[in-house]
Amino acid sequence: MMRRSRFLLCGCALVTATPAFAADPMPTVVPPAPQSEPQAEPRDAGDIVVTATRTGATRLQDTPLAVTAFNVETLERAGVKDVRDLTALTPNLQVTQNGAFSQIYIRGIGSNNVFAGSDPSSTIHLDGIYLARPASYLSNFLDVERIEVLRGPQGTLYGRNSVGGTVNVVSRKPGDTLTAKLQATYGNYDFTRLEGYFSTPIADGVAASVSVIGSRRDGYLRNVGPQGGRIDSEGTIGFRSQLRLTPSPKLEVLLRGEWVDSDDTMSGYTKLLQTVPDPVANSVLGDFRAVALNIQTFSKRRQWGTSAEIGYDLGGGLSLKSLTGFRGNRMQTATDTDATTLNTRRTDQFEKQHQFSQEVNLLGKVGDLSFILGGYYFDENIQPDTSVTTFATNLRVNYKPTVNTEAVAAFAQGTFALTDWLSLTAGIRYTRENKRFDQIATNFNTVTNTPMATFPRTYSREGVYKAWTPKFGIELRPSNGLLLYASATKGFKSGGFNLASANPAQGFAPETLWSYEGGAKLDLFERVLQLNVAYFHYDYKDLQVQSFLTPGVIDITNASDAKVDGLEVESVLRPTRWLQIGANLAYLDARYDNYPSALAPGNIPFDASGKRLNLSPKWTKALWAQLDVPTGDGRVFARGEYSHRTRQFFTALNTGLDQQAPYSLVNASIGYAFPGEHFELLVYGRNLADKDYVTSTASFAAGIVGRVGEPRTYGLRAIARF
């Protein structure tokens, strides 16, 4: 059953280290013991160990999932600051934003409805804690050990809303030796970034770490409107602290806390892409580094979080893990919604959110069976306050709902080794989610600042969403260095409500996805070549689609269904010890299978069946090379990256200005590690060809506007380690 509601738009709208080598016929999967996670020790300095399966630590090449992982060295040399910078080297990952709200698409699965009442379709987890609000996704990575991008639904073990996949951010634990790192970066646009990390043992069984960051940058876009200045600037300070307690060999306790404050002019849909009745805006129409705004744009964000991770070895191959998280997020933004110097429309947004989550897992290995049993509880409160002011009619529309969500889940998954080369996996998760939406909608006369007739309007809506999300898999290891796998997995995203609707009957239903995937991971020619291949087919039901209808008005519906087919190839060649060459290729055919009642701008119905899904380019490819050459007592290192995306669309129409033509990006860095490995200097550049492109579009008061991609940036980075 399709459900539809309309509301006034309320917002501004591989691993590069050596792959793991499966020397054993069966995978090394060990339940996480307190003091030695991960236990699957690398077989050489280049091996990468991941915890993507949540059933224990495994080597990347021995993990039967489509995973791209990045270690600290890669993140530093590639200049990765936040999730947006991962797209160049991750197959089928797209990231854009609507102001302070991030939108993540994995294999064409994502959501452009980012406001309270709805949830993302592809997610981020920080040290195992689910980050519920898209406004918290764009923070700088801080104190990171590695990042894992899991492609495909993770509905059994990750659960909540990981329909397209998830991004795992894993922090570096405090160690048993004194470690310190200082990093300073300066670049064009007056980009200045200082980072520090300090880890030390305090007493027997006690270690602590502290990391800090301060970052600022001038805006990428100059404003030729009456306000002048620049927008899309950055100003961030933050810290993270960790305390690691190991009072006994069986027990490990990790306490974490973080705080990040940002004060910037984050740009959303501010670049006008068509001619309008504004000569100032028209004068910079073809200049992707200039906008014409008459309203001062700003974005203030503050987020914080605490967590406690407790692991206990019960003995007999069993271990118990508890993960408790409490997080908060506060955001305030103002946007010139018409993207012109005409005093047409302004949007003001405020959002205050806090969440609590508790997960308990029992992991074990009994004979040939490895398993995980778990329970999960989630509670969230969101209090947005959104106003859209239309100056010509002296109207300010204000929506101030309260959204409360409570979710519980239980899950189990096991892998049974039938032989030393064949294993079967089965899992199941049950989720029950209750979402309550208490709306206060008011239309104000901006002259008198009083509510208009029949306002305010209040109502309450409640939705209960339930789902079983199973997983079935088979893994074969016919020889060393070869893993074959196939799986069938279901993903689920709960239904929700439109933030800015005065209609008490509004709401949209859950969406579900069945994924059928097969893959191979190979280490060839004595580990000179790593080759990973994955093919997938998705049956996507009741997907939640947001459409722009008339200026400032959007519609959210459950489209009937869609089909997604794709192929991904990742490879790394190491012809010598000092050279690595990588190449990724991804094909994606993501289309609405049956969507006859889509709505185009102007509230015009059309049949979108056969049209491509948003942000799903048919081809994406990447090529990179990395050198690490000893020179005397030091080292010279360099890295170059090339990525390309074919045409992608931002609405179901697949026509007009709501699209981005094919484009390519080139990034590079070169540096020197001084003798002793305590000091490094690095010169970097991103988007070296200064390519103009947009990452998404929207229809606002004046016409089609876009979110502009980052320009050419370059700078110098100094790193000191102690």
Side-chain angles (χ1 to χ4, degrees):
M1 173 76 66
M2 180 181 298
R3 301 181 183 178
R4 172 179 293 130
S5 55
R6 298 177 190 167
F7 64 89
L8 191 65
L9 180 71
C10 51
C12 37
L14 198 69
V15 150
T16 59
T18 306
F21 172 59
D24 302 320
M26 291 302 296
T28 305
V29 181
V30 186
Q35 294 202 42
S36 56
E37 188 184 80
Q39 296 75 38
E41 294 296 333
R43 291 192 173 94
D44 63 40
D47 277 353
I48 296 298
V49 174
V50 298
T51 52
T53 63
R54 304 197 80 176
T55 56
T58 60
R59 297 175 180 87
L60 181 64
Q61 284 299 96
D62 213 16
T63 303
L65 293 173
V67 184
T68 301
F70 302 88
N71 61 9
V72 175
E73 181 184 30
T74 302
L75 297 173
E76 288 180 353
R77 297 189 181 179
V80 173
K81 306 181 298 298
D82 57 47
V83 66
R84 291 169 292 187
D85 295 329
L86 299 176
T87 59
L89 294 176
T90 305
N92 283 326
L93 173 66
Q94 315 290 332
V95 180
T96 185
Q97 65 191 83
N98 182 354
F101 296 94
S102 177
Q103 302 169 23
I104 298 177
Y105 288 74
I106 301 177
R107 293 177 170 175
I109 310 302
S111 177
N112 57 358
N113 181 23
V114 293
F115 308 118
S118 183
D119 297 293
S121 299
S122 295
T123 59
I124 291 183
H125 288 76
L126 174 61
D127 294 319
I129 302 295
Y130 166 68
L131 304 186
R133 299 307 303 147
S136 63
Y137 286 2
L138 296 180
S139 295
N140 288 272
F141 292 138
L142 180 63
D143 188 18
V144 171
E145 178 181 285
R146 82 182 167 275
I147 296 173
E148 305 165 358
V149 182
L150 285 65
R151 304 189 297 279
Q154 309 298 320
T156 304
L157 295 183
Y158 286 86
R160 198 167 192 274
N161 302 324
S162 299
V163 180
T166 194
V167 178
N168 277 342
V169 181
V170 182
S171 297
R172 173 173 32 187
K173 291 183 180 181
D176 296 327
T177 59
L178 178 64
T179 304
K181 175 184 174 182
L182 295 175
Q183 182 170 300
T185 306
Y186 183 78
N188 61 334
Y189 295 95
D190 203 20
F191 174 57
T192 306
R193 179 177 170 123
L194 300 174
E195 300 169 81
Y197 173 78
F198 180 77
S199 174
T200 182
I202 297 175
D204 188 25
V206 181
S209 68
V210 176
S211 53
V212 296
I213 184 173
S215 181
R216 69 159 309 279
R217 171 181 50 75
D218 291 342
Y220 289 141
L221 307 175
R222 72 182 189 280
N223 183 13
V224 300
Q227 292 288 340
R230 306 189 72 88
I231 68 168
D232 208 11
S233 65
E234 175 192 323
T236 299
I237 57 173
F239 76 89
R240 174 179 296 164
S241 61
Q242 299 186 77
L243 183 66
R244 180 172 178 243
L245 308 173
T246 51
S248 73
K250 292 180 175 291
L251 177 65
E252 179 186 66
V253 178
L254 272 168
L255 304 177
R256 299 184 175 101
E258 66 177 89
W259 176 86
V260 179
D261 187 271
S262 299
D263 185 354
D264 47 41
T265 58
M266 247 183 191
S267 171
Y269 300 117
T270 55
K271 177 57 188 174
L272 195 67
L273 301 178
Q274 68 179 79
T275 303
V276 296
D278 179 9
V280 181
N282 293 339
S283 70
V284 293
L285 193 61
D287 187 348
F288 270 55
R289 303 303 161 206
V291 294
L293 310 177
N294 70 301
I295 294 173
Q296 184 64 48
T297 295
F298 71 85
S299 171
K300 299 178 185 292
R301 295 170 295 139
R302 178 173 296 171
Q303 55 184 296
W304 53 269
T306 60
S307 67
E309 180 180 344
I310 303 173
Y312 187 75
D313 184 359
L314 299 171
L318 300 176
S319 65
L320 188 67
K321 182 176 179 178
S322 170
L323 186 59
T324 308
F326 187 54
R327 298 190 61 84
N329 178 59
R330 185 183 181 96
M331 179 209 70
Q332 183 178 5
T333 68
T335 309
D336 188 336
T337 318
D338 58 74
T340 70
T341 61
L342 304 175
N343 204 31
T344 306
R345 179 164 287 158
R346 170 189 174 123
T347 297
D348 293 272
Q349 290 180 285
F350 173 83
E351 182 178 281
K352 181 172 67 174
Q353 179 259 7
H354 61 78
Q355 65 177 73
F356 171 80
S357 61
Q358 174 64 56
E359 183 170 350
V360 178
N361 297 333
L362 176 67
L363 297 97
K365 183 173 176 62
V366 179
D368 294 323
L369 175 66
S370 299
F371 65 88
I372 177 173
L373 306 173
Y376 180 75
Y377 174 79
F378 176 82
D379 183 83
E380 180 185 34
N381 174 271
I382 313 174
Q383 299 177 42
D385 186 346
T386 295
S387 294
V388 180
T389 303
T390 303
F391 297 101
T393 58
N394 298 319
L395 173 66
R396 183 172 76 252
V397 181
N398 177 259
Y399 296 98
K400 198 175 180 180
T402 298
V403 185
N404 288 290
T405 301
E406 187 176 37
V408 294
F411 56 91
Q413 182 169 305
T415 298
F416 187 78
L418 295 175
T419 69
D420 59 357
W421 57 272
L422 174 64
S423 58
L424 300 177
T425 295
I428 188 73
R429 186 186 190 101
Y430 175 74
T431 300
R432 184 184 189 278
E433 183 168 317
N434 182 285
K435 187 173 291 183
R436 182 178 175 87
F437 187 86
D438 298 304
Q439 177 69 288
I440 303 175
T442 309
N443 285 7
F444 288 93
N445 183 308
T446 58
V447 177
T448 63
N449 200 32
T450 57
M452 301 179 70
T454 75
F455 288 93
R457 299 175 184 175
T458 63
Y459 65 87
S460 295
R461 292 273 288 152
E462 189 168 359
V464 178
Y465 315 104
K466 306 174 184 178
W468 293 91
T469 49
K471 175 177 181 174
F472 307 98
I474 182 172
E475 300 91 39
L476 296 90
R477 296 169 175 82
S479 63
N480 291 347
L482 175 60
L483 167 64
L484 305 174
Y485 66 91
S487 65
T489 311
K490 185 179 182 181
F492 164 79
K493 174 185 171 182
S494 66
F497 304 98
N498 296 336
L499 166 76
S501 175
N503 178 11
Q506 62 108 349
F508 45 90
E511 62 182 28
T512 59
L513 183 148
W514 266 104
S515 166
Y516 308 93
E517 181 167 341
K521 296 189 175 185
L522 300 90
D523 285 317
L524 303 172
F525 312 120
E526 297 184 348
R527 310 182 69 183
V528 171
L529 175 64
Q530 168 189 312
L531 181 64
N532 297 341
V533 181
Y535 168 78
F536 55 92
H537 171 79
Y538 289 170
D539 285 325
Y540 198 6
K541 303 294 184 183
D542 296 322
L543 62 158
Q544 299 161 6
V545 179
Q546 174 176 285
S547 305
F548 291 89
L549 302 182
T550 57
V553 179
I554 65 177
D555 184 48
I556 299 179
T557 63
N558 289 99
S560 296
D561 51 46
K563 303 291 185 185
V564 181
D565 289 279
L567 178 69
E568 297 165 345
V569 181
E570 297 178 275
S571 62
V572 180
L573 175 67
R574 299 173 179 81
T576 71
R577 299 182 66 88
W578 50 268
L579 174 63
Q580 301 178 56
I581 302 172
N584 301 338
L585 179 66
Y587 167 78
L588 189 65
D589 185 21
R591 298 179 181 273
Y592 297 105
D593 188 53
N594 181 23
Y595 191 16
S597 55
L599 291 174
N603 201 17
I604 301 172
F606 73 102
D607 187 355
S609 303
K611 301 289 188 179
R612 295 190 69 87
L613 300 186
N614 292 358
L615 283 103
S616 57
K618 185 175 182 179
W619 293 98
T620 59
K621 50 193 174 185
L623 179 66
W624 56 265
Q626 184 164 307
L627 300 171
D628 199 326
V629 182
T631 55
D633 293 330
R635 288 184 299 113
V636 172
F637 53 87
R639 181 181 177 90
E641 303 167 355
Y642 167 84
S643 63
H644 178 81
R645 282 165 170 70
T646 57
R647 186 176 304 275
Q648 51 190 312
F649 301 99
F650 307 123
T651 73
L653 272 174
N654 286 190
T655 59
L657 294 172
D658 288 306
Q659 60 180 293
Q660 171 58 51
Y663 69 96
S664 303
L665 299 176
V666 177
N667 306 324
S669 64
I670 186 169
Y672 179 71
F674 288 80
E677 300 288 332
H678 292 301
F679 187 68
E680 294 181 6
L681 281 178
L682 170 72
V683 177
Y684 69 89
R686 298 183 64 84
N687 189 9
L688 290 175
D690 203 20
K691 176 64 180 179
D692 292 336
Y693 64 99
V694 295
T695 59
S696 59
T697 62
S699 299
F700 287 147
I704 306 298
V705 290
R707 162 67 193 177
V708 178
E710 292 187 359
R712 175 168 52 220
T713 58
Y714 51 86
L716 174 68
R717 180 174 299 123
I719 304 172
R721 297 182 175 90
F722 308 96

